[in-house]
Amino acid sequence: MEATACTKTEALAPCSSVVDGNFEEVPRETVIQFKPPLYRQRYQFVKNLVEQHEPKKVADLGCGDTSLLRLLKVNPCIELLVGVDINEDKLRWRGDTLAPFMGDFLKPRDLNLTITLYHGSVVERDSRLLGFDLITCIELIEHLDSGDLARFPEVVFGYLSPSMIVISTPNSEFNPLFPSVTLRDSDHKFEWTRMEFQTWALYVANRYDYSVEFTGVGEPPAGAENVGYCTQIGIFRKNGGKAMKSCVSEQHDQHVYKAVFTTSYPSLQQERFFKLVLVNEVSQQVESLRVSHLPRQKKQDGEWGDKPKDSKAPGPCFGPVFTEIEKAKIENSPKPFCVGDKFFVPLQRLLAYPKLNRLCANEEMMRSVIADSIPLSSDGSAVVADLRDYFDEQF
């Protein structure tokens, strides 16, 4: 989170922007370097806020290359993630990076997640963004002309009225620390001092019934602390804490944005993925119990005595580490048993294991889901497996 000053000869990789960790060709002038880069600090700030407040519905206005959305999509609390930007080509180009990977199917989320990218202006009203918990505007408002800046609060605070809004914008008081910088980007229409931003933010907050607190990222180098953060941030919270619920009837819905990308992630709320995960977990646990039970069974049957001296029994199985309470719950549950060459694991025993207990509320639920995929006893109270398989005979 620190900023350091160096000369051009110390900056080994000159690039295009002096603000976000890239450098123009500036002859032997002092350059500010941020570690981590400033854009990462901004995104991490939002990520930390999401982890703290656990919003379910999050929208990023002016989402650009969708970097923030990609960072947030892994958060388990989010169920709807929306990006809005005026650049349709960029949204189409970056949309596929938000699609699920193979690992997302192998280990589904607990909750559903839908990600949608809309092409449109942030000063247009679209009813699909009503009722959100958090709306972020990261380095956005400085790109708005005076007319759009005037409409921005009416749309975001007045119409959309989410529970929380995060707005970041450059702090112009920091600019003299950069070489040859007036505005940090050629598309910026303005850059505010801390007083200018806070005056605007307090006025907007008061008008639309929000509170606001100010902070920032990108600390100044030693000796320049008086200029404040490089990026100033306002965190707006709706008084009362809840987003406005949409009371607009269907025929009055306003859908002005153009959806250019949408995807849904597999989750345990979806029946087919829940079944796949549960069947897999039950099968793994039964196999683990079977393998650990086999040496005891062979000893009872006197089979170890018939083996050559250098033969070895299967080694211990390494599994999850349980707490004392979890161990007690497992030990107090019905134990696996054998009948002939069949191995029985009671469903109550399986439900005693934390991972399966989290997946299934009760025995009836487990039975109904796995019945057509895993052999059960005649009364349906236990999973049935062969006590031995081909590989066991090799020991």
Side-chain angles (χ1 to χ4, degrees):
M1 298 294 183
E2 65 178 2
T4 58
C6 66
T7 65
K8 181 64 187 70
T9 54
E10 294 168 332
L12 301 180
C15 299
S16 60
S17 166
V18 298
V19 178
D20 282 332
N22 304 315
F23 304 94
E24 294 178 347
E25 292 292 344
V26 181
R28 305 189 63 83
E29 293 187 47
T30 300
V31 175
I32 302 297
Q33 289 182 310
F34 292 99
K35 297 181 181 178
L38 194 57
Y39 74 94
R40 290 187 183 176
Q41 293 188 38
R42 291 193 287 261
Y43 294 162
Q44 187 62 46
F45 179 90
V46 175
K47 185 176 185 292
N48 293 343
L49 206 64
V50 167
E51 291 173 352
Q52 178 183 355
H53 295 279
E54 299 187 339
K56 293 183 177 181
K57 300 171 68 176
V58 178
D60 183 29
L61 305 186
C63 64
D65 66 0
T66 72
S67 293
L68 179 56
L69 299 180
R70 293 199 303 276
L71 184 66
L72 296 182
K73 73 183 179 72
V74 300
N75 196 290
C77 68
I78 297 178
E79 298 181 54
L80 178 59
L81 192 56
V82 168
V84 179
D85 202 89
I86 199 67
N87 189 328
E88 182 177 358
D89 291 339
K90 184 178 287 187
L91 293 178
R92 292 189 180 280
W93 177 53
R94 302 300 293 178
D96 288 343
T97 64
L98 296 168
F101 296 115
M102 181 61 69
D104 296 308
F105 290 90
L106 296 174
K107 189 175 181 181
R109 296 166 48 95
D110 286 350
L111 302 176
N112 289 330
L113 170 63
T114 298
I115 302 177
T116 301
L117 300 180
Y118 291 117
H119 170 239
S121 168
V122 299
V123 296
E124 294 177 304
R125 301 185 180 204
D126 192 299
S127 58
R128 289 170 291 186
L129 268 68
L130 290 171
F132 273 60
D133 302 302
L134 170 65
I135 289 181
T136 61
C137 308
I138 306 303
E139 305 299 280
L140 167 68
I141 60 172
E142 64 272 13
H143 293 272
L144 304 179
D145 61 29
S146 58
D148 285 344
L149 183 63
R151 287 188 291 271
F152 174 82
E154 300 172 9
V155 174
V156 177
F157 290 83
Y159 177 68
L160 299 181
S161 192
S163 299
M164 185 181 297
I165 302 168
V166 176
I167 297 177
S168 80
T169 192
N171 169 20
S172 65
E173 296 171 71
F174 202 103
N175 289 356
L177 299 181
F178 296 125
S180 306
V181 167
T182 303
L183 294 179
R184 301 183 192 177
D185 189 284
S186 59
D187 188 58
H188 288 185
K189 307 303 188 291
F190 62 87
E191 289 177 3
W192 279 334
T193 65
R194 286 172 290 175
M195 181 61 70
E196 288 171 328
F197 176 55
Q198 292 177 20
T199 299
W200 175 86
L202 289 167
Y203 170 79
V204 170
N206 181 64
R207 180 173 181 181
Y208 294 101
D209 197 25
Y210 280 80
S211 62
V212 60
E213 63 177 284
F214 301 100
T215 183
V217 295
E219 295 182 355
E225 291 83 1
N226 63 306
V227 302
Y229 292 108
C230 185
T231 292
Q232 50 188 333
I233 297 174
I235 306 170
F236 300 79
R237 292 180 174 86
K238 186 73 175 175
N239 292 331
K242 292 186 178 181
M244 181 187 73
K245 300 298 181 183
S246 174
C247 59
V248 184
S249 62
E250 186 173 349
Q251 61 267 29
H252 290 106
D253 282 351
Q254 301 181 57
H255 292 181
V256 299
Y257 291 158
K258 176 183 177 182
V260 298
F261 174 84
T262 188
T263 188
S264 295
Y265 276 64
S267 82
L268 297 179
Q269 291 183 312
Q270 300 163 30
E271 183 177 351
R272 62 179 178 136
F273 292 113
F274 174 73
K275 181 176 180 178
L276 285 171
V277 170
L278 182 60
V279 168
N280 182 59
E281 289 297 332
V282 168
S283 299
Q284 287 187 23
Q285 189 59 61
V286 169
E287 177 63 9
S288 175
L289 290 168
R290 186 194 72 82
V291 170
S292 63
H293 183 87
L294 196 57
R296 294 195 297 271
Q297 187 67 31
K298 287 189 174 185
K299 185 175 182 180
Q300 291 175 9
D301 296 343
E303 294 184 26
W304 294 125
D306 299 329
K307 295 288 183 181
K309 289 184 179 181
D310 60 350
S311 294
K312 295 182 179 179
C317 295
F318 295 96
V321 177
F322 301 114
T323 66
E324 292 302 318
I325 294 177
E326 290 168 346
K327 287 180 183 177
K329 186 176 181 180
I330 293 169
E331 287 302 314
N332 292 330
S333 65
K335 291 178 170 51
F337 59 92
C338 293
V339 177
D341 61 352
K342 297 297 182 181
F343 182 63
F344 293 76
V345 182
L347 299 189
Q348 285 296 327
R349 177 73 169 201
L350 293 171
L351 285 168
Y353 290 94
K355 198 167 186 178
L356 285 167
N357 185 258
R358 185 179 71 85
L359 288 170
C360 259
N362 52 59
E363 182 178 344
E364 180 56 39
M365 180 181 180
M366 177 178 285
R367 180 165 39 247
S368 65
V369 174
I370 70 173
D372 62 351
S373 302
I374 295 178
L376 297 177
S377 59
S378 58
D379 63 357
S381 66
V383 171
V384 183
D386 291 331
L387 180 59
R388 294 172 173 83
D389 60 23
Y390 168 79
F391 295 101
D392 297 327
E393 302 305 324
Q394 307 310 304
F395 291 99

